[in-house]
Amino acid sequence: MKIVRAPAAVTAWSDRLRREGVTIGFVPTMGALHDGHRSLIRAARLACDALVVSIFVNPTQFGPQEDLAKYPRPIARDRALCRAEGVDICFEPTAAAMYPPGFQTIVSVPGIARRWEGEARPHHFAGVATVVTKLFGIVRPHIALFGQKDFQQAALVRRLVTDLNLGVEIAVQPTVREPDGLAMSSRNVYLSADQRAAAPLLYRSLQAGAAAIRRGVREGSAVERVMADVVRREASVTVEYLAVCDPVTLEPLTAVDRRAVLLGSVRLGSVRLIDNLLVTVGVKR
């Protein structure tokens, strides 16, 4: 595995392989890799001839009061995981290389970004859209893999690729969970022991919403009440949102007639957790 920091070097490598007919896969990350990332890397490794994993803690997607400075950066462990999974290039650009003096372009996907995480983190999705556009331009992959846990992010990237004709296939892999159902996340390390014990309640609330839909509950607000009732069992968990949405537009659904995504965010102390569950009417999951 090569560790590359210069964007131009990655682009030159990619251009050479593309001329040779090599299929390039890409997994963009902010590091602190876990088994969720491992599943993305393995899926990409199977789908492509060559594989790039980026490790870049992107400053533009953090708000002024968020955890940029303390975001975990176990780079030696991350590199070891990438090596073990057969990654070809570990792309580790600096912030100065990604945002050099004079940089001023911002990419925005306002429709998908305006609700849910967009309301909770107003700076977040413009930073995501901008850095993903840059990374795609640098790496020039044929396929990029994202995790379902960040459902709104994946929907935004799909819209971005379609709208800007970027020519990258987007593949979304299922959420990888701990044995108790908690979605794997780099931020789970911030949870205290008591918070960690309470954290799976978010997933259980989504499961309760899905079960209600399968029982025949079709009104979106009624499903949301079912989910909220589960979370209220634990006083230490604060609901930010629990929503029943269209899985493409992420607009709230007044009635579930075919497919829906159940989106949730809760706060345990200073830690925010997000999760989601896709539901198809008439199909058990």
Side-chain angles (χ1 to χ4, degrees):
M1 184 181 77
K2 295 180 180 178
I3 298 169
V4 183
R5 294 185 175 85
V10 175
T11 303
W13 173 87
S14 177
D15 286 347
R16 176 175 58 81
L17 266 59
R18 275 179 163 270
R19 287 194 297 271
E20 296 171 358
V22 173
T23 302
I24 299 170
F26 180 39
V27 179
T29 84
M30 294 209 303
L33 305 182
H34 49 67
D35 281 348
H37 296 105
R38 192 189 301 272
S39 73
L40 297 178
I41 292 168
R42 287 181 174 176
R45 184 74 277 175
L46 290 172
C48 305
D49 303 314
L51 176 57
V52 179
V53 172
S54 63
I55 297 176
F56 177 58
V57 182
N58 177 36
T60 66
Q61 67 192 66
F62 287 78
Q65 307 302 317
E66 293 183 331
D67 55 356
L68 174 62
K70 67 174 185 176
Y71 194 87
R73 293 168 170 85
I75 191 63
R77 192 181 71 193
D78 290 347
R79 289 172 180 168
L81 185 152
C82 288
R83 284 193 185 95
E85 297 301 330
V87 172
D88 296 291
I89 295 282
C90 188
F91 178 38
E92 302 175 13
T94 64
M98 293 294 285
Y99 304 110
F103 186 91
Q104 57 184 289
T105 300
I106 302 297
V107 181
S108 175
V109 188
I112 290 176
R114 72 189 182 94
R115 295 184 183 272
W116 321 126
E117 287 302 286
E119 291 181 356
R121 305 177 67 190
H123 302 274
H124 179 65
F125 282 128
V128 169
T130 302
V131 79
V132 167
T133 303
K134 279 189 66 75
L135 288 169
F136 285 174
I138 292 165
V139 178
R140 303 184 186 177
H142 294 86
I143 181 172
L145 286 88
F146 293 81
Q148 184 183 317
K149 184 188 79 71
D150 296 293
F151 191 94
Q152 190 172 5
Q153 173 179 276
L156 177 139
V157 171
R158 278 184 166 140
R159 185 76 262 164
L160 172 75
V161 167
T162 298
D163 289 353
L164 299 184
N165 302 100
L166 297 183
V168 180
E169 178 185 347
I170 303 301
V172 179
Q173 297 296 303
T175 302
V176 177
R177 301 184 179 278
E178 303 286 358
D180 60 4
L182 177 64
M184 289 189 176
S185 169
S186 303
R187 288 187 168 88
N188 290 351
V189 299
Y190 299 152
L191 295 168
S192 69
D194 288 345
Q195 290 169 341
R196 176 62 186 82
L201 202 63
L202 173 56
Y203 182 50
R204 290 202 290 273
S205 75
L206 300 175
Q207 289 178 306
I213 292 171
R214 289 195 294 268
R215 289 195 306 269
V217 178
R218 293 291 180 265
E219 186 180 350
S221 60
V223 176
E224 290 168 5
R225 286 195 294 273
V226 169
M227 295 191 290
D229 287 343
V230 173
V231 178
R232 289 195 189 102
R233 297 172 191 169
E234 176 54 63
S236 66
V237 180
T238 302
V239 174
E240 292 200 333
Y241 58 81
L242 291 164
V244 182
C245 301
D246 180 279
V248 176
T249 66
L250 301 191
E251 291 297 308
L253 290 175
T254 56
V256 180
D257 58 359
R258 285 181 295 176
R259 297 181 74 235
V261 60
L262 309 183
L263 300 176
S265 172
V266 300
R267 187 177 290 275
L268 293 91
S270 63
V271 183
R272 293 185 71 251
L273 300 178
I274 63 172
D275 204 348
N276 64 84
L277 198 59
L278 277 167
V279 182
T280 302
V281 172
V283 177
K284 294 184 178 181
R285 284 191 174 268

